[in-house]
């Protein structure tokens, strides 16, 4: 649905939904990060510790969304919010890369972690639900920030799958190298998404609409990002 056809009352509902989705993401990832780091320390698993740190990066992305949608005019914060999310993508890629290289070069083998496996399974259930809800809300609202944040959550879903495969391969066959190799691929994707968020290219997911009634412009995105693509 084009945001030009969304009534103001519906836009307010979608903005509140975006805010509560960000709260849910931050809360879950905070808990996930604490459990992952504790389990990783107990099992000497750099993959689990790195996954916990990645969760805190996701919390930072959700915090940016909360900051934006607590404003009376969220559209005014779209450009800066996208850049902050872009920085969180870069931070995620850095954490994953460092952790993966440490795992590849490390000499100590991680122990099997049933808690870590259970955590990865739980994340593979919760994260896709959050991604779907954010994508629907972001596209209807015309918010590039919500779309970018949903991509951040999607990357964390991929990392959950990578973590699960790595933990299972290590527990069953001792293949400790599988997880860091796959994680480096995810890091590359995170860098690409960070560049797109920084440049405002997530605006491509916004429907072009007429927003003269809200911004005085005759065309563009209702979230005010597509008009600032040149930076």
């Amino acid at each position: 649905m084009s945001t030009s056809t969304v009534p103001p009352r519906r836009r307010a509902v979608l903005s509140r939904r975006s805010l509560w989705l960000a709260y849910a993401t931050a809360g879950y990832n905070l808990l996930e990060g604490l459990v992952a780091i504790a389990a990783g320390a107990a099992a000497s698993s750099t993959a689990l510790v790195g996954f916990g740190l990645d969760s805190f990066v996701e919390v930072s992305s959700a915090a940016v969304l909360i900051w934006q949608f607590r404003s009376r005019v969220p559209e005014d914060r779209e450009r800066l919010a996208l850049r902050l999310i872009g920085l969180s993508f870069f931070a995620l890629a850095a954490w994953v890369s460092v952790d993966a290289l440490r795992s590849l070069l490390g000499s100590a083998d991680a122990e099997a972690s049933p808690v870590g496996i259970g955590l990865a399974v739980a994340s593979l259930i919760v994260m896709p639900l959050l991604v779907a809800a954010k994508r629907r809300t972001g596209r209807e609202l015309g918010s590039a920030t919500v779309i970018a944040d949903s991509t951040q959550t999607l990357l964390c879903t991929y990392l959950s799958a990578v973590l699960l495969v790595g933990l299972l391969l290590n527990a069953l066959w001792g293949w400790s190298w599988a997880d860091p190799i796959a994680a480096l691929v995810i890091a590359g994707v995170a860098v690409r998404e960070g560049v797109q968020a920084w440049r405002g290219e997530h605006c491509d997911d916004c429907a072009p609409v007429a927003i003269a009634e809200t911004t005085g412009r005759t065309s563009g995105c209702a979230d005010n990002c597509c008009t600032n693509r040149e930076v």
Side-chain angles (χ1 to χ4, degrees), residues 42-197:
S44 300
S45 171
T46 55
L48 263 173
V49 172
F51 182 75
L53 295 175
D54 297 332
S55 299
F56 294 138
V57 173
E58 173 69 6
V59 171
S60 72
S61 177
V64 170
L65 207 63
I66 291 169
W67 167 77
Q68 180 188 354
F69 281 93
R70 285 185 64 85
S71 169
R72 293 185 62 183
V73 186
E75 294 82 3
D76 291 346
R77 294 182 173 181
E78 186 86 37
R79 177 71 267 172
L80 179 57
L82 271 175
R83 289 196 165 181
L84 291 173
I85 288 179
L87 290 176
S88 73
F89 273 117
F90 297 143
L92 187 151
W95 279 120
V96 171
S97 298
V98 170
D99 181 64
L101 292 174
R102 285 178 57 195
S103 297
L104 286 172
L105 301 175
S107 56
D109 292 330
E111 301 174 6
S113 176
V115 174
I117 292 173
L119 179 65
V121 170
S123 295
L124 282 174
I125 295 172
V126 174
M127 290 298 178
L129 296 176
L130 288 172
V131 171
K134 289 178 181 181
R135 288 276 168 92
R136 287 196 303 269
T137 303
R139 284 169 180 164
E140 184 177 355
L141 186 60
S143 171
T145 309
V146 179
I147 294 294
D149 185 61
S150 73
T151 304
Q152 176 80 281
T153 306
L154 182 62
L155 283 178
C156 288
T157 305
Y158 293 155
L159 285 174
S160 300
V162 166
L163 177 69
L164 179 60
V165 170
L167 292 177
L168 288 175
L169 290 177
N170 186 41
L172 296 174
W173 294 290
W175 294 358
S176 57
W177 49 265
D179 174 43
I181 291 296
L184 288 174
V185 176
I186 299 298
V189 176
V191 170
R192 184 196 68 185
E193 294 296 334
V195 171
Q196 289 181 350

